[in-house]
Amino acid sequence: MGKIILDKMAMQRALTRITYEIVEKNKGVEDLVLIGIKTRGIFLANRIADRLQQLENVSIPVGELDITNYRDDIEHDAVSTDVKMSNNKINFSIEGKRVILVDDVLYTGRTVRAALSAVMDLGRPKSINLAVLVDRGHRELPIRADFVGKNIPSSQKEKIKVYVTEIDDKDAVELIK
C-alpha cells in the first residue's frame, strides 16, 4: 500500500489554486479552452471549468484528448490524422485560442509531447499551457508545467496514483513505494 499525499480537500485546494493561476496568467478567460488528456485529465479539466464558471461566470469549452496514437513509446502502423483523432471529443475550434492542456501527473513528458502533436493536428492555437495536478520530476524531454497542484519528488521505482471520484469513487493522490 502507499502513502496518501493529497486527500480530497487538498486536491480541491490544488485545483482551485490552479484555476486562479490560469485566470491571472491569462488576464481573464477570453478565448480560453481546456483540453483534458484521457483519462483522469478529462475529469480534472471539467473540475477546473466548473471553478472558472463559478469564478468568472463564463462557460469554458472542455475537450477530451486521447493521445494513444501519438505516443512515441508504443509502436504504431502509419495512420492518417483522421484515424489518430477519432477517439477525441473536441467540438470546438482551437484556432487562435489559448489552450490549457490538463493532465493528472507529469512524469517523463512523453504524454505531453504526444498531446502537443495531437493539438497541433487540430489547428493553430494562440498559445498552449500545461496544468497538472502532480509534477513528480524525472523528465526525459524539455517539458514543464505552467500550473502545478503539487510537486512530489519521487524515485523512478515509486508510482503516483491519482484517484478521482468519477471513476475511482474517491479523490486522492497516493505515492506507492
Side-chain angles (χ1 to χ4, degrees), residues 98-116:
R98 292 181 288 163
V99 173
I100 308 293
L101 283 174
V102 182
D103 204 6
D104 55 352
V105 178
L106 177 57
Y107 182 30
T108 63
R110 295 195 177 275
T111 297
V112 175
R113 190 224 43 87
L116 289 168

Side-chain angles (χ1 to χ4, degrees), residues 103-110 112 130 132-137 139 143-145 148:
D103 204 6
D104 55 352
V105 178
L106 177 57
Y107 182 30
T108 63
R110 295 195 177 275
V112 175
L130 176 62
V132 297
L133 181 62
V134 174
D135 183 346
R136 64 170 292 187
R139 225 69 84 237
I143 289 175
R144 65 162 177 76
V148 178

Side-chain angles (χ1 to χ4, degrees), residues 8 45-47 52 61 75 77 85 94 125 129 150 158 171:
K8 180 179 181 172
N46 283 313
R47 292 182 190 190
L52 287 167
E75 195 167 318
D77 296 328
M85 299 302 286
I94 66 160
N129 289 120
K150 182 150 181 84
E158 296 172 316
D171 282 341

